[in-house]
Amino acid sequence: MAETTNNDIESLRAEVARLSKIVSAQSAQAYSDVRDRASSVLDAAGPVARKAASVARTEGSAIAQTARDHPAAAGSALTLALLVGGAIGFLLGAVSRQDPEPPRRRYW
């Protein structure tokens, strides 16, 4: 009986060791795959980010120059944008605060 138990324990240890090796190998492969994908995404994102920064710089310079050339128009446009944004915020706040029924107190 003791010999059978020892054999069972040894076979379980061998099975656990085998499964551990399989899991370790699969984890290493998954890590390698994810690392390769992330590297390729970063390599592809670099030129796109540089181009976006260049476009943003160019557009920002154009907007700044227009504002310098026409300060009254720029101030009016900014004021209009603030008023529209404030109205939208007010309306969204008013809609979200509507309670279906006021809370009631019970006196017992």
Side-chain angles (χ1 to χ4, degrees), residues 33-90:
D33 291 346
V34 169
R35 188 184 65 214
D36 291 343
R37 287 181 191 165
S39 176
S40 65
V41 166
L42 287 175
D43 291 342
V48 172
R50 280 191 289 278
K51 184 177 179 182
S54 174
V55 168
R57 242 182 268 117
T58 303
E59 291 297 319
S61 296
I63 290 170
Q65 185 60 40
T66 302
R68 275 188 231 111
D69 292 344
H70 308 287
S76 298
L78 182 61
T79 302
L80 180 62
L82 288 172
L83 289 173
V84 168
I88 290 172
F90 177 77

Side-chain angles (χ1 to χ4, degrees), residues 19-33:
L19 291 174
S20 178
K21 287 179 185 178
I22 290 171
V23 168
S24 177
Q26 288 179 347
S27 298
Q29 182 62 37
Y31 172 76
S32 177
D33 291 346

